[in-house]
Amino acid sequence: MDNTGNLQNKRIGIIGAGPSGLAQIRAFEALKAKGEIIPEIVCFEKQSNWGGMWNYSWRTGVGKYGEPIHGSMYKYLWSNGPKECLEFSDYSFDDHFGKPISSYPPRPVLFDYIEGRIKKSNAREFIRFDTTARWVSYDEDTRKFTVILDDLKINKTYSEVFDYLVVASGHFSTPNMPYFKGIEGFGGTVMHAHDFRGADQFRDRDILLIGSSYSAEDIGLQCYKHGSKSVTLSYRSNPIGHNWPDGIKEVPLVTHFEGDTAYFKDGSSEDFDAVIMCTGYQHKFPFLPDELRLKTRNNLYPDNLYKGVFFNALPQLIYLGMQDQYYTFNMFDTQAWLARDYMMERFELPGEAERRLDIDKWLERNSTLKTSFDNVDFQTDYIKDLLALSDYPHFNLDKVAAMLKEWLQDKEENILTYRDKTYQSVVTGTMAEEHHTDWMNELDDSKERYLYGAEEEELIPERM
Protein backbone atom coordinates (compact mmCIF):
# COMPACT_ATOMS: atom_id res chain seq x y z
CA MET A 1 0.00 0.00 0.00
CA ASP A 2 1.14 3.54 -0.61
CA ASN A 3 1.35 5.10 2.82
CA THR A 4 3.87 7.86 2.08
CA GLY A 5 1.37 10.63 2.70
CA ASN A 6 0.37 9.02 5.94
CA LEU A 7 3.98 8.55 7.06
CA GLN A 8 5.01 12.10 6.23
CA ASN A 9 2.66 13.35 8.93
CA LYS A 10 3.97 10.90 11.53
CA ARG A 11 6.41 12.05 14.20
CA ILE A 12 8.93 9.84 15.98
CA GLY A 13 10.59 10.84 19.25
CA ILE A 14 13.85 9.21 20.40
CA ILE A 15 15.15 9.62 23.94
CA GLY A 16 18.95 9.25 24.00
CA ALA A 17 21.69 9.63 21.37
CA GLY A 18 23.99 6.84 22.52
CA PRO A 19 24.71 3.79 20.33
CA SER A 20 21.03 2.68 20.47
CA GLY A 21 19.47 6.05 19.67
CA LEU A 22 22.03 6.63 16.91
CA ALA A 23 21.25 3.16 15.51
CA GLN A 24 17.59 4.20 15.24
CA ILE A 25 18.51 7.38 13.35
CA ARG A 26 20.83 5.39 11.06
CA ALA A 27 18.07 2.89 10.30
CA PHE A 28 15.85 5.67 8.99
CA GLU A 29 18.71 7.29 7.13
CA ALA A 30 19.43 4.01 5.34
CA LEU A 31 15.89 4.21 3.90
CA LYS A 32 16.23 7.89 3.06
CA ALA A 33 19.42 7.10 1.13
CA LYS A 34 17.32 4.81 -1.08
CA GLY A 35 15.09 7.75 -1.91
CA GLU A 36 12.27 6.85 0.48
CA ILE A 37 10.26 9.39 2.42
CA ILE A 38 10.71 9.07 6.18
CA PRO A 39 8.67 10.53 9.05
CA GLU A 40 9.83 13.50 11.10
CA ILE A 41 12.35 12.36 13.71
CA VAL A 42 13.47 14.25 16.82
CA CYS A 43 16.06 12.80 19.18
CA PHE A 44 16.65 14.29 22.64
CA GLU A 45 20.05 13.94 24.27
CA LYS A 46 20.74 15.02 27.83
CA GLN A 47 24.49 15.32 27.26
CA SER A 48 26.06 17.94 24.99
CA ASN A 49 27.43 15.31 22.62
CA TRP A 50 26.37 11.94 21.24
CA GLY A 51 27.88 8.55 22.10
CA GLY A 52 26.07 7.85 25.37
CA MET A 53 28.27 5.74 27.61
CA TRP A 54 31.27 6.24 25.29
CA ASN A 55 31.21 9.97 25.84
CA TYR A 56 33.77 10.52 28.63
CA SER A 57 33.20 13.29 31.19
CA TRP A 58 35.37 14.21 34.16
CA ARG A 59 32.19 15.14 36.03
CA THR A 60 30.52 12.89 38.60
CA GLY A 61 27.25 13.31 40.48
CA VAL A 62 25.50 16.02 38.53
CA GLY A 63 26.38 17.73 35.25
CA LYS A 64 26.77 21.35 34.25
CA TYR A 65 23.00 21.92 34.40
CA GLY A 66 22.32 19.94 37.57
CA GLU A 67 21.09 16.75 35.88
CA PRO A 68 22.32 13.36 37.14
CA ILE A 69 25.47 12.42 35.23
CA HIS A 70 24.70 9.74 32.65
CA GLY A 71 28.14 8.38 31.86
CA SER A 72 30.11 5.77 33.79
CA MET A 73 33.08 6.00 31.44
CA TYR A 74 36.61 6.24 32.84
CA LYS A 75 40.10 7.04 31.66
CA TYR A 76 42.25 4.14 30.46
CA LEU A 77 39.21 2.03 29.58
CA TRP A 78 40.02 -0.42 26.80
CA SER A 79 37.41 -2.53 25.04
CA ASN A 80 36.90 -5.65 27.16
CA GLY A 81 35.68 -7.70 24.17
CA PRO A 82 37.01 -8.02 20.61
CA LYS A 83 35.98 -5.07 18.42
CA GLU A 84 35.17 -7.65 15.72
CA CYS A 85 32.14 -8.68 17.83
CA LEU A 86 30.61 -5.20 17.73
CA GLU A 87 31.49 -4.09 14.19
CA PHE A 88 28.71 -2.37 12.24
CA SER A 89 27.93 -4.40 9.15
CA ASP A 90 27.32 -1.21 7.13
CA TYR A 91 30.48 0.62 8.32
CA SER A 92 33.57 -1.47 9.00
CA PHE A 93 36.68 -0.61 11.00
CA ASP A 94 38.56 -0.66 7.66
CA ASP A 95 36.12 1.91 6.25
CA HIS A 96 36.88 4.13 9.19
CA PHE A 97 40.62 3.73 9.89
CA GLY A 98 41.82 2.69 6.43
CA LYS A 99 44.25 0.22 7.99
CA PRO A 100 44.06 -2.81 10.28
CA ILE A 101 44.10 -2.04 14.01
CA SER A 102 44.20 -4.31 17.06
CA SER A 103 41.18 -6.19 18.39
CA TYR A 104 40.99 -4.33 21.70
CA PRO A 105 41.09 -0.57 21.15
CA PRO A 106 40.88 2.02 23.96
CA ARG A 107 37.77 4.16 24.46
CA PRO A 108 38.86 7.24 22.41
CA VAL A 109 39.43 4.97 19.39
CA LEU A 110 36.05 3.24 19.74
CA PHE A 111 34.33 6.59 20.25
CA ASP A 112 36.01 7.82 17.05
CA TYR A 113 34.60 4.79 15.20
CA ILE A 114 31.04 5.26 16.52
CA GLU A 115 31.26 8.92 15.61
CA GLY A 116 32.70 8.19 12.16
CA ARG A 117 29.61 6.35 11.04
CA ILE A 118 27.26 9.00 12.32
CA LYS A 119 29.34 11.90 10.94
CA LYS A 120 28.93 10.49 7.44
CA SER A 121 25.21 11.07 7.84
CA ASN A 122 23.04 14.05 8.69
CA ALA A 123 22.20 12.69 12.13
CA ARG A 124 23.01 15.92 13.93
CA GLU A 125 20.04 17.66 12.37
CA PHE A 126 17.74 15.20 14.17
CA ILE A 127 19.29 15.64 17.63
CA ARG A 128 18.58 18.31 20.25
CA PHE A 129 21.48 18.25 22.69
CA ASP A 130 21.37 19.43 26.33
CA THR A 131 17.71 18.42 26.40
CA THR A 132 16.21 16.09 28.96
CA ALA A 133 12.86 14.30 28.95
CA ARG A 134 10.88 15.18 32.08
CA TRP A 135 7.58 13.36 31.57
CA VAL A 136 5.73 11.26 29.03
CA SER A 137 1.98 10.77 28.79
CA TYR A 138 -0.07 8.77 26.29
CA ASP A 139 -3.52 9.78 25.10
CA GLU A 140 -5.74 6.75 24.36
CA ASP A 141 -8.05 8.83 22.13
CA THR A 142 -5.49 10.49 19.86
CA ARG A 143 -3.06 7.54 20.25
CA LYS A 144 -0.20 9.98 20.66
CA PHE A 145 2.53 10.62 23.22
CA THR A 146 3.14 14.01 24.76
CA VAL A 147 6.72 14.49 25.96
CA ILE A 148 7.57 17.32 28.35
CA LEU A 149 11.16 18.44 27.86
CA ASP A 150 13.68 20.79 29.41
CA ASP A 151 16.11 22.63 27.19
CA LEU A 152 18.87 22.77 29.80
CA LYS A 153 20.92 25.45 28.07
CA ILE A 154 18.21 28.09 28.07
CA ASN A 155 16.27 26.71 31.05
CA LYS A 156 13.04 26.36 29.08
CA THR A 157 10.31 23.74 29.45
CA TYR A 158 8.19 22.78 26.46
CA SER A 159 6.28 19.80 25.08
CA GLU A 160 6.20 17.81 21.86
CA VAL A 161 3.69 15.28 20.49
CA PHE A 162 4.73 12.00 18.84
CA ASP A 163 3.10 8.99 17.22
CA TYR A 164 5.94 6.68 18.28
CA LEU A 165 8.38 6.95 21.14
CA VAL A 166 11.76 5.19 21.20
CA VAL A 167 13.39 4.89 24.63
CA ALA A 168 17.13 4.55 24.08
CA SER A 169 18.32 6.04 27.37
CA GLY A 170 20.44 3.04 28.36
CA HIS A 171 20.55 1.15 31.65
CA PHE A 172 24.08 1.60 32.95
CA SER A 173 23.72 5.04 34.49
CA THR A 174 21.69 4.74 37.71
CA PRO A 175 23.87 3.03 40.33
CA ASN A 176 22.62 0.24 42.54
CA MET A 177 24.25 1.04 45.90
CA PRO A 178 23.81 -1.50 48.71
CA TYR A 179 24.38 -0.73 52.39
CA PHE A 180 26.90 -2.55 54.57
CA LYS A 181 26.77 -2.16 58.33
CA GLY A 182 29.38 0.30 59.58
CA ILE A 183 30.34 1.68 56.17
CA GLU A 184 29.42 5.20 57.30
CA GLY A 185 32.43 5.03 59.66
CA PHE A 186 34.87 4.07 56.88
CA GLY A 187 37.58 6.76 56.68
CA GLY A 188 38.65 6.39 53.05
CA THR A 189 36.93 6.90 49.71
CA VAL A 190 33.61 5.11 49.10
CA MET A 191 32.22 5.31 45.58
CA HIS A 192 30.17 3.43 43.00
CA ALA A 193 31.82 2.31 39.74
CA HIS A 194 29.55 4.91 38.08
CA ASP A 195 31.72 7.64 39.63
CA PHE A 196 35.08 5.97 38.96
CA ARG A 197 37.07 8.13 36.53
CA GLY A 198 40.44 6.41 36.49
CA ALA A 199 42.94 4.57 38.68
CA ASP A 200 45.35 7.46 39.26
CA GLN A 201 44.00 8.34 42.71
CA PHE A 202 44.36 4.72 43.88
CA ARG A 203 48.09 4.32 43.22
CA ASP A 204 49.87 2.73 46.22
CA ARG A 205 46.50 2.13 47.93
CA ASP A 206 44.75 -1.00 49.15
CA ILE A 207 41.46 -1.16 47.23
CA LEU A 208 38.33 -3.17 47.96
CA LEU A 209 35.89 -3.74 45.10
CA ILE A 210 32.49 -5.17 45.97
CA GLY A 211 30.91 -7.15 43.12
CA SER A 212 31.84 -9.83 40.61
CA SER A 213 30.68 -8.27 37.34
CA TYR A 214 32.61 -6.93 34.36
CA SER A 215 33.10 -3.57 36.03
CA ALA A 216 34.68 -5.19 39.12
CA GLU A 217 36.96 -7.22 36.86
CA ASP A 218 37.95 -4.28 34.70
CA ILE A 219 38.34 -1.62 37.40
CA GLY A 220 40.28 -4.13 39.52
CA LEU A 221 42.63 -4.88 36.62
CA GLN A 222 43.05 -1.18 35.87
CA CYS A 223 43.94 -0.34 39.48
CA TYR A 224 46.46 -3.21 39.47
CA LYS A 225 47.95 -2.09 36.14
CA HIS A 226 48.24 1.55 37.20
CA GLY A 227 49.95 0.80 40.50
CA SER A 228 47.51 0.08 43.34
CA LYS A 229 49.19 -1.65 46.27
CA SER A 230 46.58 -4.43 46.44
CA VAL A 231 43.19 -5.18 44.89
CA THR A 232 40.58 -7.30 46.69
CA LEU A 233 37.34 -8.33 44.98
CA SER A 234 34.44 -9.31 47.25
CA TYR A 235 31.72 -11.47 45.66
CA ARG A 236 28.16 -12.22 46.75
CA SER A 237 27.49 -15.66 45.27
CA ASN A 238 30.34 -16.73 43.00
CA PRO A 239 33.89 -15.49 42.47
CA ILE A 240 34.86 -14.33 38.97
CA GLY A 241 37.36 -17.14 39.28
CA HIS A 242 40.20 -15.99 37.01
CA ASN A 243 43.75 -17.02 37.65
CA TRP A 244 44.60 -13.63 39.18
CA PRO A 245 48.19 -12.34 39.47
CA ASP A 246 49.77 -11.66 42.86
CA GLY A 247 48.25 -8.44 44.08
CA ILE A 248 44.64 -9.31 43.14
CA LYS A 249 42.53 -11.72 45.16
CA GLU A 250 38.87 -12.67 45.62
CA VAL A 251 37.08 -13.09 48.96
CA PRO A 252 33.44 -13.77 49.91
CA LEU A 253 31.02 -10.91 50.60
CA VAL A 254 31.65 -8.18 53.16
CA THR A 255 29.56 -8.66 56.31
CA HIS A 256 30.36 -5.29 57.91
CA PHE A 257 32.91 -2.55 58.44
CA GLU A 258 34.56 -1.33 61.63
CA GLY A 259 36.47 1.86 60.89
CA ASP A 260 38.74 1.12 57.93
CA THR A 261 38.53 -2.64 58.46
CA ALA A 262 36.25 -4.79 56.30
CA TYR A 263 35.06 -8.14 57.66
CA PHE A 264 34.18 -10.96 55.27
CA LYS A 265 31.89 -14.00 55.35
CA ASP A 266 34.83 -16.41 55.59
CA GLY A 267 35.88 -14.80 58.89
CA SER A 268 38.81 -12.88 57.43
CA SER A 269 39.27 -9.12 57.74
CA GLU A 270 41.52 -6.48 56.22
CA ASP A 271 42.15 -2.73 56.23
CA PHE A 272 41.50 -0.72 53.08
CA ASP A 273 42.05 2.81 51.79
CA ALA A 274 39.09 2.83 49.38
CA VAL A 275 35.90 0.93 48.59
CA ILE A 276 34.48 0.85 45.06
CA MET A 277 30.99 -0.64 44.70
CA CYS A 278 30.73 -2.57 41.43
CA THR A 279 27.20 -3.57 42.34
CA GLY A 280 25.39 -2.93 39.08
CA TYR A 281 22.76 -0.54 37.82
CA GLN A 282 19.01 -0.05 37.95
CA HIS A 283 16.77 0.24 34.90
CA LYS A 284 15.39 3.67 35.69
CA PHE A 285 12.99 5.75 33.61
CA PRO A 286 11.86 8.65 35.81
CA PHE A 287 10.19 10.30 32.81
CA LEU A 288 7.76 7.43 32.24
CA PRO A 289 4.49 6.80 34.07
CA ASP A 290 4.06 3.52 35.89
CA GLU A 291 2.01 1.82 33.17
CA LEU A 292 4.58 2.56 30.43
CA ARG A 293 7.70 1.87 32.44
CA LEU A 294 9.81 -1.16 31.71
CA LYS A 295 10.41 -2.93 35.02
CA THR A 296 13.24 -5.40 34.82
CA ARG A 297 16.57 -6.41 36.21
CA ASN A 298 19.61 -6.69 33.99
CA ASN A 299 19.05 -9.89 32.02
CA LEU A 300 19.17 -11.25 28.48
CA TYR A 301 15.41 -11.03 27.86
CA PRO A 302 13.44 -8.39 29.76
CA ASP A 303 9.78 -9.32 30.26
CA ASN A 304 6.98 -7.41 28.50
CA LEU A 305 9.03 -6.57 25.39
CA TYR A 306 7.95 -8.33 22.18
CA LYS A 307 11.08 -9.28 20.22
CA GLY A 308 12.96 -7.56 23.05
CA VAL A 309 11.86 -4.20 21.59
CA PHE A 310 8.11 -3.45 21.53
CA PHE A 311 6.36 -2.71 24.82
CA ASN A 312 3.67 -5.36 24.74
CA ALA A 313 0.87 -3.32 26.30
CA LEU A 314 1.56 -0.46 23.85
CA PRO A 315 3.86 -1.35 20.92
CA GLN A 316 4.15 2.28 19.76
CA LEU A 317 6.48 2.53 22.75
CA ILE A 318 9.81 1.02 21.72
CA TYR A 319 12.77 0.16 23.94
CA LEU A 320 16.24 -0.32 22.46
CA GLY A 321 19.30 -1.92 24.07
CA MET A 322 17.60 -2.95 27.32
CA GLN A 323 19.19 -6.41 27.40
CA ASP A 324 22.25 -7.55 29.24
CA GLN A 325 24.85 -7.56 26.50
CA TYR A 326 27.31 -9.92 24.90
CA TYR A 327 26.58 -8.34 21.52
CA THR A 328 26.34 -4.55 21.54
CA PHE A 329 26.36 -2.16 18.57
CA ASN A 330 25.26 -4.72 15.99
CA MET A 331 22.45 -5.94 18.27
CA PHE A 332 21.20 -2.36 18.71
CA ASP A 333 21.27 -2.03 14.92
CA THR A 334 19.17 -5.14 14.32
CA GLN A 335 16.67 -3.90 16.91
CA ALA A 336 16.56 -0.43 15.37
CA TRP A 337 16.05 -1.73 11.83
CA LEU A 338 13.07 -3.85 12.96
CA ALA A 339 11.61 -0.97 15.00
CA ARG A 340 11.97 1.27 11.95
CA ASP A 341 10.07 -1.20 9.74
CA TYR A 342 7.24 -1.31 12.26
CA MET A 343 7.06 2.49 12.42
CA MET A 344 7.17 2.62 8.60
CA GLU A 345 4.22 0.18 8.55
CA ARG A 346 6.26 -2.43 6.69
CA PHE A 347 6.31 -4.91 9.55
CA GLU A 348 3.01 -5.88 11.10
CA LEU A 349 2.87 -7.06 14.69
CA PRO A 350 0.67 -10.00 15.66
CA GLY A 351 -2.04 -9.48 18.32
CA GLU A 352 -1.17 -8.95 21.96
CA ALA A 353 -1.95 -12.54 23.05
CA GLU A 354 0.26 -13.97 20.33
CA ARG A 355 3.04 -11.54 21.24
CA ARG A 356 2.73 -12.66 24.87
CA LEU A 357 3.25 -16.30 23.84
CA ASP A 358 6.40 -15.36 21.93
CA ILE A 359 7.77 -13.42 24.93
CA ASP A 360 7.02 -16.38 27.23
CA LYS A 361 8.82 -18.78 24.90
CA TRP A 362 12.00 -16.66 25.13
CA LEU A 363 11.63 -16.13 28.90
CA GLU A 364 11.27 -19.88 29.38
CA ARG A 365 14.48 -20.54 27.49
CA ASN A 366 16.26 -17.69 29.30
CA SER A 367 15.45 -19.32 32.64
CA THR A 368 17.29 -22.52 31.64
CA LEU A 369 20.63 -20.89 30.74
CA LYS A 370 23.51 -22.10 32.87
CA THR A 371 26.86 -21.09 31.36
CA SER A 372 28.33 -18.08 29.59
CA PHE A 373 28.38 -20.16 26.40
CA ASP A 374 24.62 -20.76 26.80
CA ASN A 375 24.15 -17.01 27.14
CA VAL A 376 26.10 -16.34 23.95
CA ASP A 377 24.03 -18.92 22.03
CA PHE A 378 20.81 -17.43 23.39
CA GLN A 379 21.68 -13.88 22.34
CA THR A 380 22.93 -15.11 18.96
CA ASP A 381 19.59 -16.83 18.32
CA TYR A 382 17.76 -13.71 19.47
CA ILE A 383 19.61 -11.55 16.91
CA LYS A 384 19.03 -14.17 14.19
CA ASP A 385 15.33 -13.93 15.01
CA LEU A 386 15.47 -10.15 14.45
CA LEU A 387 17.57 -10.40 11.27
CA ALA A 388 14.99 -12.72 9.72
CA LEU A 389 12.38 -9.96 10.11
CA SER A 390 14.20 -6.94 8.60
CA ASP A 391 16.64 -6.00 5.84
CA TYR A 392 19.57 -5.13 8.10
CA PRO A 393 22.75 -6.16 6.21
CA HIS A 394 23.47 -9.71 7.34
CA PHE A 395 26.73 -10.60 9.03
CA ASN A 396 28.09 -13.99 10.01
CA LEU A 397 26.58 -14.40 13.46
CA ASP A 398 27.91 -17.91 13.98
CA LYS A 399 31.44 -16.59 13.52
CA VAL A 400 30.81 -13.76 15.98
CA ALA A 401 29.39 -16.27 18.49
CA ALA A 402 32.53 -18.42 18.08
CA MET A 403 34.67 -15.31 18.71
CA LEU A 404 32.71 -14.44 21.85
CA LYS A 405 33.30 -17.96 23.18
CA GLU A 406 36.98 -17.76 22.30
CA TRP A 407 37.15 -14.41 24.13
CA LEU A 408 35.59 -16.00 27.24
CA GLN A 409 38.26 -18.73 27.09
CA ASP A 410 41.09 -16.23 26.50
CA LYS A 411 40.09 -14.48 29.72
CA GLU A 412 40.05 -17.79 31.59
CA GLU A 413 43.55 -18.58 30.33
CA ASN A 414 45.14 -15.25 31.19
CA ILE A 415 43.25 -12.20 32.37
CA LEU A 416 46.35 -10.00 31.89
CA THR A 417 47.03 -10.91 28.24
CA TYR A 418 43.63 -11.61 26.64
CA ARG A 419 43.57 -8.09 25.16
CA ASP A 420 46.75 -8.88 23.20
CA LYS A 421 44.90 -11.48 21.07
CA THR A 422 43.77 -10.70 17.51
CA TYR A 423 40.63 -11.66 15.61
CA GLN A 424 39.34 -11.56 12.05
CA SER A 425 36.55 -9.22 10.94
CA VAL A 426 33.35 -10.98 9.83
CA VAL A 427 32.49 -7.87 7.79
CA THR A 428 35.69 -7.45 5.73
CA GLY A 429 37.78 -10.55 6.48
CA THR A 430 40.63 -8.31 7.70
CA MET A 431 42.83 -9.82 10.39
CA ALA A 432 43.49 -7.44 13.28
CA GLU A 433 47.05 -6.18 13.80
CA GLU A 434 48.85 -6.84 17.04
CA HIS A 435 49.05 -3.61 19.07
CA HIS A 436 52.57 -2.17 19.17
CA THR A 437 52.66 -2.54 22.99
CA ASP A 438 51.35 -5.28 25.29
CA TRP A 439 48.20 -4.10 27.02
CA MET A 440 49.70 -4.50 30.50
CA ASN A 441 52.56 -2.14 29.56
CA GLU A 442 50.45 0.40 27.66
CA LEU A 443 49.62 3.20 30.07
CA ASP A 444 48.60 5.77 27.44
CA ASP A 445 45.13 5.29 25.95
CA SER A 446 45.16 8.27 23.56
CA LYS A 447 44.10 7.81 19.94
CA GLU A 448 47.40 9.32 18.70
CA ARG A 449 49.52 6.91 20.72
CA TYR A 450 47.31 3.97 19.72
CA LEU A 451 47.31 4.67 15.98
CA TYR A 452 50.79 6.13 15.52
CA GLY A 453 52.80 5.39 18.68
CA ALA A 454 54.72 2.47 17.25
CA GLU A 455 56.70 4.76 14.98
CA GLU A 456 58.80 5.99 17.89
CA GLU A 457 58.40 3.47 20.63
CA GLU A 458 59.01 4.90 24.08
CA LEU A 459 60.70 2.71 26.60
CA ILE A 460 58.11 1.78 29.13
CA PRO A 461 59.44 0.77 32.54
CA GLU A 462 58.58 -2.71 33.71
CA ARG A 463 55.84 -2.93 36.32
CA MET A 464 57.53 -2.73 39.73
Side-chain angles (χ1 to χ4, degrees):
M1 62 178 185
D2 179 33
N3 55 11
T4 47
N6 178 19
L7 283 170
Q8 259 180 306
N9 303 325
K10 291 263 159 100
R11 297 191 83 224
I12 293 166
I14 303 172
I15 297 176
S20 295
L22 293 176
Q24 190 64 79
I25 293 173
R26 279 286 304 145
F28 279 106
E29 285 203 315
L31 274 189
K32 201 177 176 184
K34 293 179 185 168
E36 301 211 22
I37 289 169
I38 61 170
E40 186 187 348
I41 297 164
V42 191
C43 175
F44 305 103
E45 171 53 55
K46 184 169 84 171
Q47 303 184 92
S48 50
N49 197 9
W50 51 35
M53 207 40 88
W54 293 91
N55 185 11
Y56 170 80
S57 166
W58 59 272
R59 295 176 188 273
T60 58
V62 294
K64 185 176 173 185
Y65 302 108
E67 294 301 302
I69 281 288
H70 177 81
S72 304
M73 185 52 69
Y74 43 89
K75 283 191 293 188
Y76 318 128
L77 176 134
W78 291 66
S79 175
N80 67 347
K83 74 178 194 306
E84 290 76 15
C85 296
L86 53 75
E87 193 164 16
F88 299 122
S89 75
D90 66 343
Y91 185 70
S92 68
F93 281 96
D94 287 1
D95 288 336
H96 184 71
F97 291 104
K99 65 175 188 178
I101 61 169
S102 75
S103 284
Y104 291 87
R107 182 206 66 83
V109 173
L110 266 176
F111 181 74
D112 197 64
Y113 171 63
I114 298 168
E115 203 173 40
R117 174 167 92 149
I118 211 72
K119 272 183 173 167
K120 276 180 58 182
S121 76
N122 297 317
R124 258 196 197 267
E125 67 192 42
F126 300 111
I127 306 172
R128 294 184 198 166
F129 293 102
D130 296 308
T131 301
T132 191
R134 286 284 178 238
W135 192 246
V136 172
S137 55
Y138 179 73
D139 186 322
E140 294 285 350
D141 298 329
T142 61
R143 309 204 47 181
K144 290 178 192 287
F145 298 94
T146 299
V147 185
I148 297 174
L149 300 139
D150 267 345
D151 182 324
L152 301 170
K153 252 186 176 154
I154 59 172
N155 197 9
K156 176 180 177 348
T157 304
Y158 64 100
S159 66
E160 297 266 348
V161 176
F162 297 104
D163 298 278
Y164 298 96
L165 189 64
V166 179
V167 178
S169 53
H171 59 98
F172 297 116
S173 63
T174 304
N176 189 39
M177 195 81 157
Y179 171 72
F180 295 92
K181 189 170 172 239
I183 195 162
E184 62 276 5
F186 183 79
T189 303
V190 178
M191 65 163 67
H192 190 275
H194 176 60
D195 295 321
F196 178 82
R197 290 293 178 265
D200 300 337
Q201 63 172 303
F202 301 114
R203 200 169 288 137
D204 300 324
R205 307 248 179 232
D206 296 305
I207 311 298
L208 171 63
L209 294 104
I210 301 176
S212 53
S213 63
Y214 288 131
S215 60
E217 172 187 288
D218 198 62
I219 290 173
L221 274 179
Q222 185 180 122
C223 288
Y224 171 78
K225 175 178 167 177
H226 287 266
S228 290
K229 196 173 177 185
S230 74
V231 174
T232 302
L233 304 164
S234 168
Y235 58 89
R236 172 170 282 140
S237 29
N238 296 301
I240 297 172
H242 295 315
N243 187 9
W244 298 106
D246 289 346
I248 302 182
K249 67 174 187 290
E250 291 195 80
V251 296
L253 194 61
V254 175
T255 55
H256 64 287
F257 288 87
E258 285 176 18
D260 295 347
T261 310
Y263 292 80
F264 302 99
K265 269 192 167 160
D266 60 0
S268 66
S269 65
E270 200 173 323
D271 289 357
F272 293 99
D273 299 304
V275 178
I276 305 172
M277 305 262 195
C278 301
T279 41
Y281 292 88
Q282 306 170 37
H283 281 65
K284 203 145 181 71
F285 310 100
F287 49 85
L288 287 171
D290 195 50
E291 67 277 8
L292 301 180
R293 200 180 304 143
L294 177 67
K295 294 172 186 177
T296 180
R297 301 182 59 154
N298 192 26
N299 68 53
L300 291 170
Y301 212 92
D303 196 358
N304 297 314
L305 292 182
Y306 176 64
K307 299 300 178 197
V309 175
F310 305 100
F311 193 59
N312 201 30
L314 182 68
Q316 289 161 257
L317 179 61
I318 289 161
Y319 284 90
L320 296 183
M322 292 301 154
Q323 293 71 11
D324 193 8
Q325 294 147 14
Y326 283 83
Y327 293 83
T328 52
F329 301 166
N330 40 22
M331 176 169 74
F332 308 151
D333 273 8
T334 53
Q335 292 180 333
W337 253 250
L338 181 63
R340 174 204 73 188
D341 287 352
Y342 164 69
M343 292 185 269
M344 291 291 290
E345 297 175 13
R346 303 164 148 229
F347 170 66
E348 206 169 316
L349 296 184
E352 188 171 350
E354 200 179 321
R355 297 196 300 261
R356 184 67 252 175
L357 288 172
D358 189 75
I359 294 169
D360 288 341
K361 178 188 81 180
W362 285 97
L363 290 179
E364 174 58 33
R365 182 176 161 194
N366 190 16
S367 69
T368 64
L369 305 176
K370 291 194 169 55
T371 66
S372 299
F373 280 22
D374 292 344
N375 294 346
V376 169
D377 290 337
F378 178 86
Q379 198 152 69
T380 304
D381 288 347
Y382 164 62
I383 296 172
K384 282 181 177 173
D385 189 39
L386 296 183
L387 280 174
L389 300 170
S390 83
D391 69 347
Y392 183 68
H394 276 243
F395 56 101
N396 190 330
L397 267 162
D398 293 324
K399 265 195 172 160
V400 178
M403 272 194 275
L404 285 167
K405 290 176 182 176
E406 208 178 311
W407 159 71
L408 288 164
Q409 279 172 317
D410 290 344
K411 283 167 66 173
E412 286 295 307
E413 278 166 31
N414 192 331
I415 192 65
L416 298 185
T417 60
Y418 79 91
R419 284 184 169 104
D420 299 325
K421 294 277 174 86
T422 53
Y423 288 88
Q424 186 178 22
S425 165
V426 298
V427 179
T428 59
T430 300
M431 189 68 198
E433 288 272 296
E434 283 192 9
H435 185 47
H436 49 69
T437 307
D438 288 349
W439 177 76
M440 266 307 287
N441 295 321
E442 181 59 282
L443 301 178
D444 180 346
D445 66 347
S446 68
K447 189 172 87 178
E448 295 66 32
R449 161 80 188 162
Y450 176 81
L451 292 174
Y452 312 112
E455 277 116 58
E456 48 187 76
E457 185 69 80
E458 296 105 355
L459 286 171
I460 294 173
E462 285 297 304
R463 184 184 159 80
M464 302 313 282

